[in-house]
Amino acid sequence: MAPPATDAATTKQEQQHAAGGEGVEVGGDLRLVAECGTVVRLSRSAARMSTTLFDMIEAGCAEGGIPIKGADVGTLRLVAAYCEKHAPHYDPVASAARLRDPFPPFPIEFTPASYAVKPVTQLDPDPHGLEAWDRKFISDLPDNSALFNLIIVANLMAIEDLVDLGCTAVADKMRGKTPDEIRVALDIENDYTPEQEAEVRRENAWAFED
Amino acid sequence: MRTRSGSRYSNGGEVAALVGQKRKKSASAVAGECACDGRRKRLAGGPDYLDALPDDLVLSILTKLAAASSAPSDLLSVHLTCKRLNELGGHDMVFAKASPASLAVKAAAWSEPAQRFLKRCADAGNLEACYILGMIRFYCLGSRSGGAALLARAAVGGHAAALYSLAVIQFNGSGGAKSDRDLRAGAALCARAAALGHVDALRELGHCLQDGYGVRRDPAEGRRLLVAANARELTLALSAAAASRHAVAALPFAAAGGVGGGGGGCPLLSDFGWSLPEAEPHAANQFMVDWWASRCAAQAGGKKPGGESSGDGAELRLCSHVRCGRRETRRHEFRRCSVCGAANYCSRACQALDWKRAHKAQCVPMDRWLLAGVAAVGGIGGGGEAQQQQQ
């Protein structure tokens, strides 16, 4: 029986004692196998951030290596680093996954009450230093291919927060630039014919008059 | 993007199969596509990162871009880059999340494509776009029912400014006759907007309560709401200043500069001699102000003889609070300052703001208005008997 992955630390030790060391995987680290066969370890608490891995743990099929098709080692290591960093402060209720797929599937509005009024002076917008770490994480990525691979692998593993982080980074690269600059920044090929381009330009000309 | 005939991964692998089952996406058709198109091998011809991303991820990227963009050009530059981004950028999901700043169409740039853009955003369910397009259609283009329908749509979605605009329309009976005024409906809409924290609506409701206009008269509650409006305005101004990282911009008035001077935005502070820089007017109001200004300039340039649809001295006046930008829809719709009779306001909130800002210095009592104006029009801020008759 796979234990619920909530108290990973204490459960790990209990299980290892109780099971008499029967399996390293029970309560141990998960092993993610990259495309080329290298294994990247990920602790259970960090794996909770990935909906896919969490479901696998719950279903009890997280023993042995978990192959991740299409992921190379560098990207997996980055993903693992992100998960390890964010795992202690991960709150499934507040995470992006809930925003993507909310229940009920319509917005519920309450009248703002007096306790909803927040103080004007910001106490500390980044209490655990996570946002600064995220910014550094993204800026440390060597090039666009690393960023896009990261998004793809995070999408595969269903880590919504990391997908959002990556998408926001790409969107930041697109914002405030002319179309030519965007093409240069993201290596996009211009497949318009001159007539089509002129037509699209005409359609959107009103936004560019300044 | 040129489509590459790269090889695809035929069997998805365990993780991907689980991904296909476990994730329930609303754009499920797109997700179905992405499972096939998703991971193509990059050929050695050159990097093609966006090609490797499935459509739903590109949509997420574009949605984030829309939500963070600060001008329409940010959002539309992407359309010019390549065909795939043009097509995906035109998806409803992206337009639905367009930020208010990216919908701020300038009056000088108004054209058919601009209107189409706003219409698409409004159809996609973007409340801010519904509001802006509704205001433009109602006041500038004269399409009363169409504009009001869009405003109603935004209001139903909970947009505070749309609720307030509808309240002003109800209070004045805009678009109809004077008998179409519905004070109670206006007060109800105002109350809803005030509950959402809209500053002008709080002020308006405060004055309505003080005068018993559309609601049961309750001066104490009205006074409380007026103070709440000031406090809310101050909160918004300070948090805006904090967010933009400026040094706290509250400046004490110079002693000589005194009471009527340069007029900061917040009445609460200005009572104590401090001022804050005035908040930016909403995009819709700015549009209307620019629109009327350009119409008047065109007319003053002698292009047309004074037509009845525009013209400031002639028939329909603008609200004298310059940042409001609303215009009357029939003669004598707006109410006059009861002291001087020269200033017209669409609502009490505009009158209260303008008093502090500019009108106090300019208001000169004219004797003849005290007799004729108050009885005829029911002036603001005076004539208690006239207002009691309206109850």
Side-chain angles (χ1 to χ4, degrees), chain B residues 215-289:
Chain B
V215 285
R216 186 193 299 275
R217 187 187 161 147
D218 189 348
E221 183 74 12
R223 183 76 206 139
R224 206 177 64 76
L225 274 176
L226 290 175
V227 174
N230 286 339
R232 172 106 182 125
E233 189 172 18
L234 178 58
T235 308
L236 289 174
L238 282 179
S239 57
S244 62
R245 306 277 192 268
H246 291 158
V248 174
L251 310 160
F253 276 135
V259 179
C266 181
L268 185 64
L269 283 186
S270 63
D271 277 343
F272 296 101
W274 289 68
S275 73
L276 277 176
E278 203 157 344
E280 290 274 319
H282 194 279
N285 294 101
Q286 188 62 46
F287 184 97
M288 290 197 289
V289 169

Side-chain angles (χ1 to χ4, degrees), chain B residues 25-329:
Chain B
K25 284 224 138 280
S26 56
S28 55
V30 181
E33 228 174 72
C34 91
C36 311
D37 291 349
R39 300 172 305 282
R40 297 197 194 145
K41 244 188 209 162
R42 287 191 275 118
L43 295 183
D48 203 359
Y49 310 116
L50 275 181
D51 212 14
L53 281 183
D55 280 350
D56 61 340
L57 285 181
V58 179
L59 275 179
S60 309
I61 294 176
L62 292 173
T63 311
K64 299 239 177 306
L65 176 66
S69 48
S70 54
S73 54
D74 281 349
L75 186 46
L76 294 174
S77 298
V78 158
H79 287 242
L80 284 167
T81 47
C82 69
K83 285 186 192 165
R84 184 183 181 211
L85 284 183
N86 186 22
E87 181 197 330
L88 286 175
H91 200 272
D92 272 354
M93 220 164 89
V94 178
F95 284 146
K97 290 275 180 3
S99 69
S102 70
L103 295 168
V105 180
K106 300 241 176 0
W110 184 248
S111 58
E112 195 50 41
Q115 184 165 13
R116 272 202 294 268
F117 171 70
L118 277 179
K119 185 83 175 67
R120 289 199 65 181
C121 292
D123 288 339
N126 191 326
L127 294 181
E128 188 74 24
C130 291
Y131 171 62
I132 294 180
L133 191 58
M135 291 289 271
I136 293 176
R137 281 196 177 167
F138 191 90
Y139 285 107
C140 301
L141 303 180
S143 154
R144 311 292 178 199
S145 56
L150 275 168
L151 284 175
R153 182 156 172 219
V156 162
H159 195 266
L163 283 161
Y164 174 66
S165 293
L166 280 177
V168 172
I169 290 173
Q170 292 287 350
F171 278 136
N172 289 329
S174 299
K178 186 167 174 183
S179 55
D180 290 332
R181 288 193 307 179
D182 189 348
L183 300 184
R184 297 183 63 170
L189 286 164
C190 221
R192 179 95 173 97
L196 293 169
H198 194 256
V199 173
D200 287 337
L202 279 165
R203 226 166 245 141
E204 183 78 24
L205 194 60
H207 282 114
C208 288
L209 280 165
Q210 282 189 325
D211 302 327
Y213 194 68
V215 285
R216 186 193 299 275
R217 187 187 161 147
D218 189 348
E221 183 74 12
R223 183 76 206 139
R224 206 177 64 76
L225 274 176
L226 290 175
V227 174
N230 286 339
R232 172 106 182 125
E233 189 172 18
L234 178 58
T235 308
L236 289 174
L238 282 179
S239 57
S244 62
R245 306 277 192 268
H246 291 158
V248 174
L251 310 160
F253 276 135
V259 179
C266 181
L268 185 64
L269 283 186
S270 63
D271 277 343
F272 296 101
W274 289 68
S275 73
L276 277 176
E278 203 157 344
E280 290 274 319
H282 194 279
N285 294 101
Q286 188 62 46
F287 184 97
M288 290 197 289
V289 169
D290 295 336
W291 181 271
W292 302 127
S294 69
R295 289 288 171 284
C296 284
Q299 212 195 0
K303 296 234 174 110
K304 295 180 200 175
E308 74 281 5
S309 59
S310 66
D312 64 46
E315 307 270 329
L316 301 176
R317 298 189 197 85
L318 298 180
C319 179
S320 302
H321 179 216
V322 280
R323 290 177 154 230
C324 168
R326 285 187 177 86
R327 189 157 165 259
E328 295 180 325
T329 59

